[in-house]
Amino acid sequence: MGEPKKKLIVIAGPTAVGKTSFAIKLAQALNTEIISADSRQFYKEISIGTAKPTPEELALIPHHLISSLSINEYYNVSKFENEVLALLKKLFLKYDTVVMVGGSGLYIDAVCQGIDELPDADEKLRLELNNSFNEKGLEFLLMELKKLDPDYFEVVDKSNPKRVLRALEVIKETGRTYTELRKNLKKKRSFEIQKFCLNRDREELFERISIRVDQMLAEGLLDEVKQQIPNRNLNSLNTVGYKEIFKYLDGELSLEQAITDLKTNTRRYAKRQLTWFKRDDSYTWVHPNEIAKVIESI
RNA sequence: GGUACCAUAGCUCAGUUGGUAGAGCAAUGGACUGAAAAUCCAUGUGUCCCUGGUUCAAAUCCAGGUGGUACCA
């Protein structure tokens, strides 16, 4: 009869479905804290456009990994995995369950099952590869990949430059093939994991997206984006809500068109999130108003 | 009330001399290992406003209706 096992509760779901308030209610019921798994809410300079919990909400329950980084800091899934595991170790001393909430599927998976040992991006090498892509094109990079790692060449998405570039990056950095390093081993965690995915009718979700974008604008999204003009080339600002407003500020789009695009791109983002969660059958799908059901099953 | 123009996909619109329809956008499905709110792939949606007529054959021509827009009264 050992200690009861510690448990991580994952709350996933598409953007604007209602994850934030759901997670807060859940954490209150379980008397625990929240870890955010949202690849944009890490950044302290961007709050309105990333739909962070409000200061009032943050005061209700301790949140981790919100506004924990600056937009010019380099960050990635692997760092997230390590950071969350360390955090959980601490939190599990105090709590039997911890809630992790967010919409970044890859990041959630890294915590739940780990991610292979691959090198981080090397800034210089990445720049070189990007230049080579711009000058010589994807065909050239594909030929190179075929030579260096014929097995990955067979399976890689040949029209997706990022996939090809990343493979070459790993190969050049390690001197080993990407195939060899990409083992896709599922790590067993020392804690239990229970995963829920929130969803609602598509029509209703889209309506909520539209309302939320209007709210962001009312709360001062334009100003928030304006402040970040000097940083616009950072990856952290390659983000729905910022890209479209930059175009408006450039005079490339009318405000009306920028808002329309913002809503469209948010809908597409929500769709991509759903595709990610759908193929993972370890999720229990629930409606955001079914919190009682979720608490009971925990 | 009169005249003119218009009515085709969710939206904006193409559609040649009559041969059962196609673009853009929106949408939908999918992929995904250190850029992931990123990046990439795939897919077509129809009472051609209605009723009748001409014709082997009508989105297309003719008549009438209905609705819209503009101008005139």
Side-chain angles (χ1 to χ4, degrees), chain A residues 206 209-210 213-214 217 221-222 240-241 243-245 247-248 253-269:
Chain A
F206 284 6
I209 286 172
S210 176
V213 168
D214 292 338
L217 288 157
L221 181 62
L222 291 183
V240 174
K243 311 191 254 201
E244 299 83 2
I245 304 293
K247 282 190 187 164
Y248 158 66
L253 294 179
S254 67
L255 181 59
E256 198 194 4
Q257 189 57 51
I259 294 168
T260 303
D261 287 0
L262 202 175
K263 289 179 180 178
T264 300
N265 289 334
T266 307
R267 273 182 251 133
R268 288 177 175 164
Y269 169 50

Side-chain angles (χ1 to χ4, degrees), chain A residues 8 13 24-25 40 52 64 77 101 104 107 123 130 155 161 172 182 186 209 219 225 228-229 245 261 268:
Chain A
L8 175 66
I24 289 172
K25 280 183 236 155
R40 289 299 184 269
K52 275 182 199 163
H64 301 271
V77 221
V101 60
S104 303
Y107 282 60
E123 205 182 336
N130 276 322
V155 298
K172 293 189 178 207
R182 202 164 141 271
K186 309 256 186 276
I209 286 172
E219 286 164 17
V225 179
Q228 296 309 326
I229 289 177
I245 304 293
D261 287 0
R268 288 177 175 164

Side-chain angles (χ1 to χ4, degrees), chain A residues 74 120-132 165 169 172-173:
Chain A
Y74 175 73
D120 286 350
D122 177 88
E123 205 182 336
K124 222 180 102 195
L125 181 57
R126 185 163 280 195
L127 196 66
E128 261 172 47
L129 286 166
N130 276 322
N131 285 340
S132 155
L165 284 164
E169 180 178 273
K172 293 189 178 207
E173 230 172 306

Side-chain angles (χ1 to χ4, degrees), chain A residues 88-126:
Chain A
L88 283 173
K89 205 168 171 187
K90 269 195 263 170
L91 290 171
F92 281 144
L93 294 175
K94 212 170 150 192
Y95 307 104
D96 288 334
T97 56
V98 170
V99 173
M100 180 166 79
V101 60
S104 303
L106 179 66
Y107 282 60
I108 292 171
D109 289 356
V111 170
C112 295
Q113 48 191 257
I115 192 161
D116 290 325
E117 297 281 329
L118 295 173
D120 286 350
D122 177 88
E123 205 182 336
K124 222 180 102 195
L125 181 57
R126 185 163 280 195

Side-chain angles (χ1 to χ4, degrees), chain A residues 21-47:
Chain A
S21 68
F22 187 94
I24 289 172
K25 280 183 236 155
L26 185 61
Q28 283 176 327
L30 299 171
N31 189 26
T32 185
E33 306 189 6
I34 292 176
I35 298 174
S36 170
D38 184 305
S39 72
R40 289 299 184 269
Q41 291 184 2
F42 302 140
Y43 300 105
K44 62 182 177 219
E45 295 89 345
I46 51 177
S47 296

